[in-house]
Amino acid sequence: MSFLAPAAAALALTLPVIVALYFLRIRRPTRVVPALNLWPDEIRDRQANIPWQRLRFSWLLLLQLLAAAVLVAAAAQPALSAGAGLARHSVVLLDVSASMQARDVQPSRLDEAKREVGGLIDQLGPQDRMTLIAVGSVPRVVASVVGDREALHRAVNDIGAQNGPADLSAALALASGLVRPGDDARAYLFSDGIVGPIRTDSANSLPFPVEYHRVGVSGENVGMTSLVVRTGAQSRAAYLHTQNFGRQSRSFSVEWRADGRLVDVRKLTLAGGQAQDLVLPVPSDATLVSAHIDAGDIFALDDTVSAVASAPRAFRVLLVTPGNVFLQQALSLRTDLQLDVIAPSAYRSAAPYAMSIFDGYAPPALPDGPFILINPPAGSPLAGGTPIGIGRVRAVDAGDPLLTNVDLQDVHIARSQDLHASKFGRPLITSLQTPLVLVRDEPFRQVLFGFDLHESDLPLRIAFPILVQNLSEWILPPSVPSHSFHPDEPVTIVPEAGATSVTVVRPDGSRRSLAGGSVATFGDTDLTGLYTVEQVVAGKVDRSWFTVNLFSEQISQLKPAERLTLPPLSSTTAAHSAHRGQLEIWPWIALVALGVVVVEWLAFHRGL
Amino acid sequence: MAALLDPPLLRRLEALALRVRRAVRGQMGGERRSTARGRSVEFADFRSYSPGDDFRLIDWNAYARLDRFMLRLFVAEQELPLSIFVDLSGSMDWGRPNKAETAKRLAGAIAYVALAALDRVRLTVFAEGPISGGAPYRGRRAVANLFSRLQSFPVGGPTDYDRLVWPIGRQRPGMTVLISDGLGESSIDPAIAALGRARQEGAVLQLLAPQEIAPDWTGDARLRDAETGVEREFTSTPVTSAAYVAALARRTDEIERSAHRRGLRFARLSTDEPIDDMVLRTLRRLGLLS
């Protein structure tokens, strides 16, 4: 046992003072009584006729000395050695991700973890410090190198659950940045182990050891991990994926609603680990569909899902070409494009179109807006040099989002204009001889192809429609994407032309205003449910929707991980000198002191 | 007089009379039946004529039938001798209302009832020793003197009940009322025993203040005896207060048992009880007045 405030022992001087007061004569008021012999003639503890007298034994004196001694002991803040070994700097990583809302431990995994963190805080010694990091989709430092236990308790209590995943790698990187080299530090991870992929290579080595405190016991959960609305030739249907992630068989019903109206109820029984896909009808006039299961399991976040059923707004696109069936087919794969195809001779203006595509033709004045220019004829402003033969085709940056899923390995191009000297923009696809495709963001998103598609086998490859899709979505992202997003995933919103205000109404009714007139990224998607985007165009309110659903099998399976594979310790990690944690017991001692005072009071009134 | 008792109370007291269980012989005529034979309208007995008897008492009808002189005897109506002993020791000079003042008023009220009924009243106050209140009082005209004398007595000094034995013992049979708090260094029992031996009918009235019946203070104090001046340091707690109340109850119980053993009435009175209630209710219920 140690004392956190040993200086308080000086208060023990009160003990001789109490004894001295017993020596001293007490000044008493005189009371005349008719018959003194009727009053009990007992020798009282404080009876004294001379200023200093021999100390008599007294229960009251004993109790008062005991109470004072216990209070002095409490003031010295004695602490017992606790079981856990604490470093001087404790880094607590508290998982606040969606899976921590599971109620397999009461009241929830997160509350249980917070309780355990509270116990760790209580063990901090006067010299110890703690850093508290909430591990969500974006790690957040809640308390940085704090020694005040009250402040730490408040910080822990203020932490709330999030609906997104846990990015433990980012949290560990953040924690590593907060620990100075050579610090005596140790990290404590309070989590159910359902975290994102952890980079365990040596480049991400940690300067402190990590203790994993597993929270949660069960993985018995039934959830929905996908809901997609598909529009066919005649009708629309929704495809719902449900799965029993636990081991026990479960029976439940699925409530299917369109715009809040109950459309269908399906009874399901799923064995442990079994999944089932449902095809559900979508009314033609429905805007929003939602499904809810009443499985009564330990996790509610995946029991309700929703999807937007209405078709997205279409963009008008102009294709000016002497004839290019490949390009026409690739563009028509995107359902929200309304394509107008004209011959170069018919071209007048691209003003009413959101995007223009010029194939083998360049207008005298290029439109002041997004366009794709393919093989501009010689003499036009953006035309390259003399065509040259092309060898192997490759991507400038294989990780470029515009080339996602675009395989250029078997693509061949006969010849292309020499774009070496072009100032159009950055090269996207290139060859040894010359850049082949250039892109630029300013003043508008625009693309320049240096070769004729007909002189290449690119249109015959699966890469071509994907490339066209990537480029068109980059140039013309949907105003409001109608598909589902994950919690905390940013949503790009492109305001309608002429929109004076853009407001997003969240599922809880709160409103967020975005800057009108420019592409905005909306990041407040922590809540699951339906988000409504309201745009005011020419005085009219135009509404569109997107949804946020958990849709994560990794989270819905819920089973806590027994152990985690964490990055290795770095070679520069300080020798860990874990000392015993301290458990303060002064509140209990103060309680004993209170009890002694009460006994002293009772003893006084009983005439002891 | 006005300061001692109110005129309205005096008027109500006139309707009362001392109540004795047996007839007693007085010295002078009065309104009470006596053991002596005398002139009244109430026939008592016959007896044979002896020379020297008043021949006006001869029953001539009896003589006609029996041919003997028979005298008709009647019950004599005489006064009742009442003695009042009032404790004016130091312990009585205490309390709110003051016990000595209340004792004087109570004695005055009882004396007034007796004087209004043509009884004879002898007043004695006592503390360390008995002090006579002067010659016996008789008749309404003596009321003013008696009240004045009562109010003139000083209060204080220790109580010595043993010194009451002699003045009590020399009394003729009659009625005696002893008003005291029963407190003091000596016991009141010898005085009560003397009343029994002197064939006194009457009552012992213990008069206490409400503050000594239920002490209204706690904490540290230096206690001083009102009679002896002896001091003692003391700490009043609920426990010690309860011990005091028990001791007082024991003292009261001793006095009551001693009085009853001698055929005397006993009542414990509190000074916060109005004097009207003491006399008109408590003493009537006790059977001392009717």
Side-chain angles (χ1 to χ4, degrees):
Chain A
M1 186 170 73
S2 58
F3 292 91
L4 302 182
L11 293 173
L13 292 173
T14 54
L15 300 180
V17 171
I18 292 174
V19 176
L21 288 174
Y22 264 74
F23 277 119
L24 291 175
R25 182 180 182 178
I26 299 171
R27 187 178 294 275
R28 302 164 186 264
T30 299
R31 287 184 178 274
V32 177
V33 293
L36 187 61
N37 53 7
L38 291 180
W39 294 87
D41 187 16
E42 295 176 9
I43 301 299
R44 301 285 302 163
D45 54 288
R46 281 175 284 179
Q47 183 176 8
N49 292 318
I50 54 175
W52 294 94
Q53 58 174 345
R54 188 176 62 82
L55 185 64
R56 296 190 182 97
F57 175 78
S58 162
W59 280 108
L60 285 178
L61 173 60
L62 195 67
L63 288 170
Q64 287 170 10
L65 287 175
L66 182 61
V70 174
L71 282 173
V72 170
Q77 297 189 31
L80 295 176
S81 295
L86 288 182
R88 287 296 175 204
H89 184 188
S90 302
V91 181
V92 171
L93 303 166
L94 178 59
D95 187 354
V96 297
S97 64
S99 60
M100 292 295 281
Q101 298 179 38
R103 297 188 307 275
D104 50 341
V105 288
Q106 292 298 328
S108 73
R109 290 181 182 179
L110 180 61
D111 289 318
E112 172 67 12
K114 286 162 72 173
R115 190 188 62 77
E116 291 184 20
V117 172
L120 198 64
I121 292 171
D122 288 336
Q123 295 176 22
L124 288 179
Q127 308 299 326
D128 295 342
R129 298 290 180 269
M130 179 177 280
T131 293
L132 199 56
I133 297 176
V135 185
S137 54
V138 177
R140 182 170 61 94
V141 177
V142 179
S144 178
V145 200
V146 175
D148 182 356
R149 286 182 298 180
E150 287 303 315
L152 286 168
H153 276 297
R154 283 197 300 273
V156 169
N157 290 335
D158 290 343
I159 292 176
Q162 298 178 4
N163 293 333
D167 189 348
L168 182 59
S169 284
L172 288 172
L174 181 61
S176 300
L178 292 171
V179 174
R180 290 175 299 186
D183 267 5
D184 174 18
R186 174 178 283 263
Y188 303 87
L189 171 62
F190 294 87
S191 170
D192 53 10
I194 304 174
V195 294
I198 306 170
R199 293 185 288 274
T200 57
D201 52 333
S202 58
N204 295 293
S205 59
L206 298 174
F208 44 72
V210 180
E211 277 184 22
Y212 170 44
H213 294 254
R214 183 169 60 93
V215 183
V217 293
S218 170
E220 293 297 327
N221 179 43
V222 173
M224 296 176 283
T225 55
S226 174
L227 174 63
V228 181
V229 177
R230 294 279 181 236
T231 303
Q234 277 82 34
S235 63
R236 289 192 295 170
Y239 300 87
L240 178 67
H241 183 76
T242 59
Q243 186 166 349
N244 181 0
F245 294 93
R247 293 181 176 178
Q248 299 170 357
S249 176
R250 282 182 176 272
S251 296
F252 55 92
S253 59
V254 179
E255 291 180 7
W256 179 244
R257 294 175 185 273
D259 294 332
R261 300 188 308 273
L262 187 63
V263 176
D264 198 358
V265 177
R266 303 278 180 90
K267 291 280 185 187
L268 286 183
T269 299
L270 296 180
Q274 186 187 359
Q276 183 162 349
D277 290 307
L278 298 177
V279 181
L280 297 161
V282 178
S284 58
D285 59 342
T287 303
L288 174 77
V289 290
S290 63
H292 174 75
I293 58 174
D294 58 350
D297 53 22
I298 60 174
F299 192 54
L301 210 56
D302 57 3
D303 290 345
T304 301
V305 296
S306 55
V308 177
S310 61
R313 182 175 53 87
F315 292 102
R316 288 191 68 189
V317 174
L318 174 66
L319 173 59
V320 185
T321 177
N324 192 333
V325 68
F326 304 112
L327 199 54
Q328 205 168 329
Q329 284 294 329
L331 287 169
S332 63
L333 289 176
R334 196 170 149 183
T335 56
D336 61 340
L337 296 186
Q338 182 184 338
L339 188 64
D340 290 343
V341 184
I342 60 171
S345 58
Y347 177 77
R348 295 290 177 271
S349 166
Y353 296 95
M355 180 175 72
S356 307
I357 302 168
F358 302 101
D359 178 31
Y361 167 75
L366 285 166
D368 192 16
F371 64 75
I372 298 175
L373 183 58
I374 301 170
N375 191 29
S380 60
L382 294 177
T386 312
I388 54 178
I390 300 300
R392 186 165 169 269
V393 177
R394 63 180 179 85
V396 174
D397 177 8
D400 196 312
L402 292 177
L403 296 178
T404 303
N405 297 325
V406 176
D407 182 10
L408 299 174
Q409 202 161 13
D410 296 327
V411 174
H412 302 89
I413 297 171
R415 56 182 187 146
S416 170
Q417 296 176 12
D418 186 359
L419 297 180
H420 265 124
S422 174
K423 305 291 185 191
F424 182 82
R426 62 181 173 90
L428 180 68
I429 299 173
T430 187
S431 66
L432 287 173
Q433 291 73 26
T434 176
L436 300 171
V437 179
L438 302 178
V439 295
R440 67 180 181 189
D441 290 304
E442 300 293 339
F444 296 96
R445 290 178 174 178
Q446 296 165 340
V447 183
L448 172 64
F449 281 72
F451 59 95
D452 184 358
L453 294 176
H454 294 101
E455 292 184 341
S456 159
D457 60 359
L458 175 62
L460 304 176
R461 306 298 177 200
I462 190 68
F464 182 68
I466 297 174
L467 178 62
V468 172
Q469 187 86 5
N470 287 351
L471 291 174
S472 70
E473 282 194 353
W474 172 64
I475 295 172
L476 288 180
S479 173
V480 177
S482 58
H483 63 270
S484 176
F485 291 84
H486 292 108
D488 293 331
E489 186 180 351
V491 177
T492 301
I493 295 172
V494 181
E496 301 284 350
T500 54
S501 75
V502 181
T503 305
V504 179
V505 183
R506 302 192 337 139
D508 60 356
S510 59
R511 305 173 75 86
R512 302 279 192 278
S513 292
L514 304 178
S518 63
V519 178
T521 300
F522 179 72
D524 291 344
T525 54
D526 52 318
L527 300 178
T528 59
L530 177 71
Y531 289 70
T532 306
V533 181
E534 295 179 349
Q535 303 186 47
V536 178
V537 182
K540 290 176 60 180
V541 178
D542 178 39
R543 286 188 176 82
S544 48
W545 301 269
F546 66 90
T547 58
V548 173
N549 294 293
L550 183 64
F551 288 166
S552 169
E553 291 192 5
Q554 184 200 13
I555 294 176
S556 289
Q557 58 93 14
L558 278 187
K559 186 170 176 54
E562 290 294 334
R563 58 179 57 85
L564 289 176
T565 304
L566 296 167
L569 276 174
S570 67
S571 56
T572 58
T573 302
H576 183 57
S577 57
H579 63 287
R580 311 288 288 179
Q582 290 178 321
L583 184 63
E584 290 190 28
I585 55 173
W586 69 265
W588 302 105
I589 296 180
L591 205 62
V592 171
L594 179 64
V596 173
V597 170
V598 170
V599 170
E600 194 265 347
W601 183 80
L602 289 174
F604 172 75
H605 281 276
R606 287 179 180 276
L608 283 177
Chain B
M1 185 175 81
L4 196 64
L5 294 173
D6 298 331
L9 174 61
L10 294 177
R11 279 196 293 277
R12 286 199 295 276
L13 292 177
E14 286 175 3
L16 300 176
L18 291 171
R19 185 173 168 189
V20 287
R21 297 188 182 114
R22 60 179 184 269
V24 292
R25 183 185 294 265
Q27 289 180 315
M28 301 176 69
E31 295 181 346
R32 295 180 180 278
R33 294 177 71 229
S34 168
T35 53
R37 297 292 175 255
R39 292 181 181 276
S40 72
V41 295
E42 187 175 353
F43 175 75
D45 201 356
F46 287 100
R47 82 171 160 80
S48 299
Y49 173 79
S50 297
D53 285 338
D54 187 350
F55 55 82
R56 287 176 296 181
L57 299 178
I58 293 173
D59 187 345
W60 297 106
N61 291 329
Y63 173 73
R65 286 198 295 273
L66 302 174
D67 197 21
R68 288 172 57 191
F69 290 116
M70 301 295 288
L71 293 188
R72 288 173 64 92
L73 301 180
F74 296 90
V75 173
E77 289 188 339
Q78 294 182 324
E79 64 184 1
L80 170 68
L82 168 67
S83 294
I84 301 177
F85 288 84
V86 182
D87 183 356
L88 293 183
S89 64
S91 65
M92 293 291 285
D93 189 15
W94 197 89
R96 298 180 307 275
N98 187 273
K99 289 195 288 183
E101 292 301 319
T102 307
K104 287 177 180 179
R105 298 183 72 199
L106 181 61
I110 296 172
Y112 185 83
V113 171
L115 293 176
L118 298 180
D119 292 326
R120 187 159 53 96
V121 176
R122 181 182 293 277
L123 177 66
T124 305
V125 301
F126 64 94
E128 196 168 7
I131 302 172
S132 172
Y137 299 86
R138 193 167 190 278
R140 287 172 190 258
R141 280 185 291 183
V143 168
N145 288 336
L146 186 142
F147 283 6
S148 173
R149 186 76 175 123
L150 253 181
Q151 288 177 297
S152 68
F153 285 118
V155 182
T159 314
D160 188 352
Y161 293 107
D162 293 336
R163 297 185 64 180
L164 285 181
V165 173
W166 184 79
I168 291 175
R170 71 185 183 89
Q171 289 187 109
R172 296 165 59 89
M175 174 172 278
T176 297
V177 174
L178 174 58
I179 302 173
S180 170
D181 56 8
L183 307 178
E185 291 294 313
S186 63
S187 170
I188 195 174
D189 189 60
I192 298 175
L195 286 173
R197 287 195 299 274
R199 297 176 62 203
Q200 292 296 309
E201 186 178 336
V204 177
L205 305 180
Q206 187 187 24
L207 189 61
L208 298 173
Q211 297 82 21
E212 61 185 332
I213 295 173
D216 56 355
W217 61 277
T218 56
D220 297 316
R222 176 181 296 277
L223 301 185
R224 179 186 294 158
D225 191 287
E227 295 187 357
T228 64
V230 174
E231 293 186 347
R232 186 194 335 144
E233 292 190 343
F234 183 74
T235 300
S236 175
T237 67
V239 174
T240 55
S241 290
Y244 161 77
V245 171
L248 180 64
R250 276 197 303 276
R251 177 67 64 91
T252 300
D253 191 49
E254 288 169 7
I255 298 171
E256 183 174 11
R257 279 192 280 111
S258 177
H260 288 165
R261 201 159 54 238
R262 274 82 185 195
L264 299 169
R265 302 175 181 91
F266 173 84
R268 191 171 94 166
L269 304 171
S270 176
T271 57
D272 59 347
E273 187 180 358
I275 196 73
D276 304 36
D277 288 350
M278 280 189 199
V279 177
L280 299 174
R281 293 174 58 181
T282 308
L283 296 187
R284 285 178 71 179
R285 191 165 59 239
L286 194 64
L288 189 65
L289 301 177
S290 62

